[in-house]
Every structure is written in C-alpha cells, then in structure tokens.
Amino acid sequence: MGDNICLTGHKKEIMAVHDAMDVLSGKWKISIISSICYYNGRRFSDILNDVHGISNKMLSKELKDLEINKLIKRTVFDTQPVTVQYNLTEYGCTLRTIIDNLAHWGMEHRKAIIGK
Amino acid sequence: MGDNICLTGHKKEIMAVHDAMDVLSGKWKISIISSICYYNGRRFSDILNDVHGISNKMLSKELKDLEINKLIKRTVFDTQPVTVQYNLTEYGCTLRTIIDNLAHWGMEHRKAIIGK
DNA sequence: CCGGATCCCTTGCGATACTG
DNA sequence: CAGTATCGCAAGGGATCCGG
C-alpha cells in the first residue's frame, strides 16, 4: 500500500523516457544526431559516411523527422552544386549530455564484449 | 589528410554511440529497462502495464534480447502460479545515468511540446 | 551534391488463441 | 501468471535511377 504511492511516482519517469524515445527512436536517429553534434554541423554526404549502413533514402527521411521536431536545422548554401548543412538547434543541443553518456557507455560496452 | 586525423577522433565517438544503440535500439527496449530500473525489479505483467502499448509477444521478445545481452536477469519463483521477476544486472545498472538523463529530457521535452 | 520516386523484399509487431 | 504459436498486414528499409 505504501508501495502504490511509490509506484505512481515512477510511472511519471517511465512515461518521460517514453516521450523522449518518441522523438529519438528509430534505428538511426541517435547516430545521426551524434554525427551532427560532434562535428558541430555536418553535410548530407558526410553524415551518410559517418552513420555506417544508412541509405540516402533513410537519411533523408530521418533528417526530415528531426527537423520537424526542431532538433536540427537545415541550411542550404547556394554553391555549385548546392551544399546543405545540418546543425543542432539550441533545443537539439540539450541532447548533448545524453549523447555523451551513450558514447561513453558504448565504449565500455565494446570493451565488455571484446574482453569476454 | 590532416582532416582525417580529426575525423578519426570523432568517428570513434559516433561508432561508440552506434554500438550502444545496437543493444538499446528498438521501439521498446529503453522503456522496458527504465521500468525495471525504477522499480528495482519488476514482473512480466507489471512491465506490460508500465510500457504503454506493448504487446506480450513483443515484451517477451525484447526481454529475451536484453537477457542475452546481459543487461537484465530473469528469476523464476516457484509459487502457484509461477511468478517471474526481472532485474537489472550490475552491467545493466551502468545504464542508470542514461535512463535518468532521458527521463529528465523527456519531461522537459513534454513541457516544450505542450507549451508551444 | 542533395535528395525525391519507384520497386520490392523483409521485418516489426498487433491480434488472437493456446499451454504449463 | 508468464509466456508460446500462428497469422497477416503495414511499415521499414535497401537498390537503383532520376532531376534540380
């Protein structure tokens, strides 16, 4: 019974995680964000290279999603041929901590896998 | 070529993020982990309730994946009927920071959405 | 260089029903 | 309660070609 009061409290956090994942889930989104984030602005073809295995179609679609959610912004430079740059918005930058943690965890994880 | 040295540095982090997502991606995994994490041990049907929208089939499958990756452990209690509890392994607990960050970001994100 | 359009196969995943 | 089995659609996502 005391328990249930506690339960209610946790639901809130679980839902919050769920909300976050609503925007971030998808096979590629977080990798894409990390590419843009670490390079502090990045072009389409560069991201295509950074994110191993992604197709241009998927990249195009995921970038659009992220733009709609105001996490990144798209800037077109009128060169010949056109170049396009993607940057994190201020809002997108608030993900930095999460990205860093994931990168850190990913490195440790890799060690754990190899070491075993 | 000078470029590439710089690139290499960032590639490492991007790959690390990718490695992390290898284990964590999927529509439900992170939500499941957060449920188990916040309750410090959780049963099948409880997770089914916590994670809004998941089906028993998917939950079963995702739990199996997480177990294979040593992030959670499964304990069967020989009651009538059987009860099963899922807990984070020590290794799984290293995700705590990430979960907390996501929960925090999710709450802010919700505010941002509603506020707009 | 950036990305849209099309084709087509594969997978995710929900619904439902069933077992120990 | 804690799953497994089967069905079947819809979405995911790769390959390729094309236009600005």
Side-chain angles (χ1 to χ4, degrees):
Chain A
M1 6 210 129
D3 285 321
N4 281 319
I5 296 169
C6 168
L7 294 183
T8 310
H10 289 309
K11 291 261 186 216
K12 197 171 161 188
E13 274 107 43
I14 295 168
M15 278 181 53
V17 172
H18 191 271
D19 288 344
M21 293 317 289
D22 240 33
V23 186
L24 300 175
S25 80
K27 198 174 173 184
W28 308 108
K29 289 210 179 66
I30 297 202
S31 292
I32 293 170
I33 293 172
S34 71
S35 166
I36 298 174
C37 175
Y38 283 121
Y39 284 109
N40 195 31
R42 201 87 173 121
R43 283 166 40 188
F44 189 87
S45 52
D46 292 328
I47 304 175
L48 211 52
N49 273 308
D50 290 341
V51 181
H52 188 67
I54 196 170
S55 66
N56 58 349
K57 175 182 159 186
M58 274 301 107
L59 178 54
S60 172
K61 191 206 141 205
E62 300 282 71
L63 285 170
K64 216 173 289 175
D65 286 352
L66 293 172
E67 200 187 351
I68 288 173
N69 284 307
K70 307 285 185 191
L71 293 176
I72 64 176
K73 66 170 168 291
R74 182 172 177 275
T75 314
V76 182
F77 293 100
D78 208 7
T79 51
Q80 191 56 244
V82 170
T83 56
V84 179
Q85 194 165 43
Y86 293 91
N87 291 278
L88 292 190
T89 59
E90 276 189 41
Y91 185 42
C93 284
T94 61
L95 287 169
R96 179 73 198 226
T97 310
I98 293 172
I99 301 290
D100 280 343
N101 284 330
L102 279 170
H104 181 257
W105 193 87
M107 287 182 198
E108 296 301 318
H109 176 64
R110 164 159 290 201
K111 283 183 208 161
I113 298 294
I114 295 173
K116 196 175 52 182
Chain B
M1 353 201 134
D3 285 321
N4 282 320
I5 297 171
C6 170
L7 294 183
T8 309
H10 290 307
K11 291 258 188 218
K12 197 170 162 189
E13 275 108 41
I14 295 167
M15 279 182 51
V17 172
H18 191 270
D19 288 344
M21 293 317 290
D22 240 34
V23 186
L24 300 176
S25 80
K27 198 175 173 184
W28 309 108
K29 290 211 179 66
I30 297 203
S31 291
I32 293 170
I33 292 172
S34 70
S35 167
I36 299 174
C37 176
Y38 283 122
Y39 285 109
N40 194 31
R42 200 88 173 121
R43 284 164 40 186
F44 189 88
S45 52
D46 292 327
I47 304 174
L48 210 51
N49 274 307
D50 291 340
V51 182
H52 188 66
I54 196 170
S55 65
N56 57 351
K57 175 181 156 185
M58 272 302 106
L59 178 54
S60 172
K61 192 206 141 207
E62 301 282 70
L63 284 170
K64 218 171 285 176
D65 286 352
L66 293 172
E67 199 187 350
I68 288 173
N69 284 307
K70 307 286 184 189
L71 294 176
I72 63 176
K73 67 169 167 293
R74 181 173 177 276
T75 312
V76 182
F77 293 99
D78 208 7
T79 52
Q80 191 56 243
V82 169
T83 57
V84 179
Q85 196 167 41
Y86 293 92
N87 291 277
L88 292 189
T89 59
E90 275 188 43
Y91 185 43
C93 284
T94 61
L95 288 170
R96 178 73 197 226
T97 310
I98 293 173
I99 300 290
D100 281 343
N101 284 332
L102 280 170
H104 181 258
W105 193 88
M107 288 184 197
E108 298 300 318
H109 176 63
R110 165 157 290 199
K111 283 183 208 161
I113 298 294
I114 295 174
K116 197 174 50 181

